[in-house]
Amino acid sequence: MSHLRFMKEIDNLTRMDDTIKGAVPRWQKKCMESSNTSINQSLNSSKKVMGCSFTSSTSGKSPARKGDCKTKKTPSKAIKKSPSRATTPAKTPNGGDRFIPSRSTTNFEISHFKILQQQNADQDKDKADKSPMKREMQRLIGENLHGGDINNTRVLSYQIKAPAPPEGYQNPLKVLYSQTKTPASVRASTRYIPQAPDRILDAPEIIDDYYLNLVDWSNNNILAVALGANVYLWNAGTGTIEQLFELEANDYVCSVAWIQEGPYLAVGTTVGNTELWDCSQMKRMRVMNGHVARVGSLSWNSHVLSSGCRAGKIVHHDVRERDHLISTVNAHAQEVCGLKWSPDGQYLASGGNDNMLQIWPSLTGQRHSQTQPLHSFNHHQAAVKALAWCPWQNNVLASGGGTADRSIRFWNCNTGTCLNTIDTKSQVCALLWSTNYKEIVSGHGYAQNQLTIWKYPMMTKLAELTGHTSRVLHLAMSPDGTTILSAGADETLRLWKCFQMDPHKKKESNDVKSVASRLKQSIR
């Protein structure tokens, strides 16, 4: 009997005409839920609840609409499926990211009133005889439903408002679109600086010597370059090149310097002479002695020419007089490689290979000998060649040290204090202030051989201009202050247009200068 019962069970399990028992299909579940929902709705609509309020339609009838009555409802569960789609087993997106309104947060009375109000407004748009009483009645209904203005009330409510973002949070999409326009503060503080030179000139046989000064740019837009025993003049306006002179054998040019106003060029030689040339006539005016070693640095102060030699001596020449020698100063223990007069002529700065920086007073008499400097600084750990006076603060001096020092220091020569120190990580060969911006340029040697533009006084790097394959020995500025010339030991001269003026700012500065000139003329 047991085996017959077993066979019967197997036969029941393998029958194909019986209903398959298992999980209820999804479409059947939807049908069952929709049928239950429709039954509940029909039961709720059949009940009569006190306190109903009706609104009149445009046709004068007052049909009872779903949601017109103020019924007491209990918060129900949010609808998860749409009734119109309950009869079809439609697929829903994965994750359930459908926007379905929530019953618990939706006010159906206000929603129905706003819909009727919009319909009445559309139908009565062309009727000019709309009664004020009707408008007043609609306003009173809105106040009773919401207790105030319903213009800011939404018809559907999806969820409770999201919590406020934490302090300091910024939407990344807003950042993406709002920062495409550069803020005015950033535009005012930054500008485009070309990273490539505007022009490259050949400088064959330029002497690779850190202690010499072989390049200078005049106010007449003529560049003087010493190449070995020759001095060449390059007219930056026309592009023409002329050879000024060539020294005799075994002699070479050690320094060149233009006078502030005029076509005169001072030239220092290896035999200790200082020559004065008139470049407009291409002839030598005079030869001034006073040194026993090569003259590696020159600087003008009006008609007075100061020269420094390898023996550490500084000589002042009055080029107007026959007896040109004014005074002689034993300034340094080793070669004088840096020499600069301040723009107002009050101070003379001298840097030497003895790592010393000296500040000397102006020449008050025709014949005198100043043996003691005003200030003597020994902060640098290498030779001090790079010297530059600030054009808008005549008492501020910038000095740069050699390979063992690698620093730029700023000095207040009125008080003799060091204002700031910057470690550049590289040999400082030359310094140059910008006349158009509050910036300073430094030319470097080992190991990157770059030009660095610094923002003063924060001393933040604005740009690094690379291209020289050897150290940048000399820097010169164009008369308009827009172009920097760098002379490298790689026998190239590179012109960088890194200080171009904004046309609007240039126009404003020209207007200010014209007003100032008119004031001077009226005072005279």
Side-chain angles (χ1 to χ4, degrees):
M1 296 296 292
S2 61
H3 69 279
L4 295 175
R5 188 181 301 108
F6 177 72
M7 293 296 294
K8 186 177 180 181
E9 290 179 357
I10 292 177
D11 185 45
N12 291 333
L13 290 174
T14 57
R15 289 181 60 183
M16 302 299 294
D17 56 347
D18 198 0
T19 57
I20 299 175
K21 297 181 179 180
V24 179
R26 187 176 179 183
W27 65 273
Q28 289 185 1
K29 285 184 178 181
K30 290 184 178 181
C31 293
M32 293 170 63
E33 291 177 359
S34 61
S35 61
N36 292 334
T37 304
S38 61
I39 292 172
N40 292 334
Q41 289 179 354
S42 61
L43 291 175
N44 291 333
S45 61
S46 62
K47 294 180 181 180
K48 294 183 179 180
V49 184
M50 299 300 294
C52 297
S53 61
F54 300 93
T55 58
S56 59
S57 62
T58 56
S59 60
K61 298 180 181 181
S62 301
R65 296 175 180 269
K66 180 181 176 181
D68 287 350
C69 302
K70 289 186 177 179
T71 59
K72 184 178 180 181
K73 295 184 178 64
T74 58
S76 59
K77 192 175 181 180
I79 300 175
K80 294 183 178 180
K81 306 297 179 181
S82 175
S84 62
R85 301 180 61 177
T87 58
T88 57
K91 295 182 180 180
T92 58
N94 295 331
D97 54 348
R98 295 167 60 193
F99 294 93
I100 302 175
S102 175
R103 286 181 176 272
S104 60
T105 58
T106 301
N107 192 329
F108 291 98
E109 288 84 0
I110 296 179
S111 303
H112 178 66
F113 175 76
K114 291 190 71 175
I115 293 173
L116 286 181
Q117 188 181 32
Q118 183 63 33
Q119 292 178 355
N120 294 336
D122 294 340
Q123 293 179 4
D124 295 341
K125 187 175 181 181
D126 298 331
K127 295 183 180 180
D129 57 347
K130 185 177 180 180
S131 62
M133 186 179 296
K134 190 173 182 179
R135 290 194 296 268
E136 182 65 19
M137 182 181 66
Q138 290 181 356
R139 186 183 65 81
L140 292 175
I141 292 174
E143 291 179 356
N144 292 330
L145 288 175
H146 189 258
D149 186 15
I150 65 170
N151 292 328
N152 297 325
T153 304
R154 296 185 177 182
V155 174
L156 298 178
S157 178
Y158 292 95
Q159 61 181 4
I160 301 174
K161 290 185 178 180
E167 185 178 358
Y169 173 79
Q170 194 172 15
N171 191 340
L173 293 178
K174 290 184 178 179
V175 173
L176 176 65
Y177 287 99
S178 63
Q179 291 188 355
T180 53
K181 294 183 178 180
T182 307
S185 59
V186 177
R187 289 198 303 268
S189 60
T190 60
R191 70 180 191 280
Y192 172 70
I193 301 176
Q195 298 296 310
D198 181 67
R199 186 177 298 183
I200 301 177
L201 304 175
D202 291 328
E205 298 182 5
I206 189 170
I207 300 175
D208 184 7
D209 193 331
Y210 176 80
Y211 304 100
L212 304 184
N213 296 271
L214 306 178
V215 173
D216 198 16
W217 207 330
S218 73
N219 290 330
N220 296 327
N221 205 17
I222 298 177
L223 179 70
V225 183
L227 302 178
N230 301 275
V231 173
Y232 292 92
L233 304 178
W234 178 64
N235 192 321
T238 61
T240 58
I241 300 175
E242 293 180 305
Q243 182 181 6
L244 182 61
F245 67 88
E246 181 179 3
L247 295 176
E248 297 178 357
N250 301 325
D251 196 2
Y252 58 89
V253 179
C254 301
S255 57
V256 293
W258 287 99
I259 195 171
Q260 285 90 345
E261 297 294 337
Y264 299 105
L265 178 69
V267 179
T269 64
T270 55
V271 296
N273 293 332
T274 304
E275 300 181 359
L276 185 63
W277 286 78
D278 185 354
C279 297
S280 61
Q281 302 179 11
M282 304 296 287
K283 59 182 287 188
R284 186 173 65 184
M285 303 298 296
R286 65 185 305 180
V287 178
M288 298 174 290
N289 54 16
H291 295 287
V292 296
R294 69 177 187 180
V295 180
S297 56
L298 297 169
S299 183
W300 286 90
N301 181 15
S302 184
H303 56 272
V304 175
L305 175 64
S306 301
S307 59
C309 72
R310 196 169 193 172
K313 185 184 295 185
I314 297 176
V315 175
H316 302 288
H317 310 269
D318 190 341
V319 298
R320 302 173 302 174
E321 298 185 9
R322 181 182 180 88
D323 188 6
H324 59 85
L325 188 62
I326 297 178
S327 65
T328 301
V329 181
N330 292 320
H332 295 271
Q334 297 186 35
E335 184 171 7
V336 180
C337 51
L339 200 62
K340 292 288 183 182
W341 278 100
S342 62
D344 57 356
Q346 296 298 316
Y347 301 106
L348 174 66
S350 63
N353 195 29
D354 56 355
N355 308 343
M356 296 295 295
L357 173 63
Q358 312 280 12
I359 307 299
W360 306 88
S362 61
L363 303 175
T364 55
Q366 293 294 326
R367 308 288 174 181
H368 73 286
S369 178
Q370 179 70 29
T371 59
Q372 296 297 326
L374 291 177
H375 306 290
S376 183
F377 305 117
N378 59 356
H379 298 68
H380 286 287
Q381 304 302 315
V384 183
K385 176 201 174 184
L387 298 174
W389 290 93
C390 181
W392 60 88
Q393 286 181 298
N394 295 328
N395 61 313
V396 175
L397 173 70
S399 61
T403 306
D405 185 71
R406 305 180 304 276
S407 66
I408 300 174
R409 294 179 179 269
F410 297 89
W411 310 90
N412 186 340
C413 294
N414 289 342
T415 60
T417 58
C418 182
L419 302 176
N420 194 7
T421 303
I422 298 296
D423 186 5
T424 64
K425 311 295 183 183
S426 181
Q427 178 191 35
V428 183
C429 301
L431 289 172
L432 204 60
W433 291 89
S434 171
T435 56
N436 295 336
Y437 300 92
K438 290 191 175 182
E439 298 168 5
I440 188 171
V441 185
S442 56
H444 298 275
Y446 312 111
Q448 297 183 10
N449 307 316
Q450 82 281 14
L451 281 76
T452 304
I453 302 177
W454 308 83
K455 184 68 177 179
Y456 183 82
M458 292 81 69
M459 292 306 292
T460 55
K461 285 186 181 181
L462 296 180
E464 284 193 349
L465 309 178
T466 58
H468 282 285
T469 58
S470 186
R471 57 181 177 175
V472 181
L473 293 172
H474 316 286
L475 293 178
M477 175 77 74
S478 63
D480 58 0
T482 61
T483 306
I484 293 287
L485 180 131
S486 60
D490 56 358
E491 298 186 345
T492 62
L493 305 177
R494 298 172 186 260
L495 285 85
W496 313 82
K497 287 187 175 295
C498 50
F499 294 122
Q500 292 281 1
M501 283 289 291
D502 186 0
H504 300 288
K505 293 183 179 179
K506 187 176 181 180
K507 183 178 179 181
E508 292 176 359
S509 62
N510 292 335
D511 294 341
V512 171
K513 290 180 181 178
S514 62
V515 171
S517 62
R518 287 197 298 269
L519 288 174
K520 289 181 180 179
Q521 292 176 0
S522 62
I523 293 173
R524 291 176 183 175

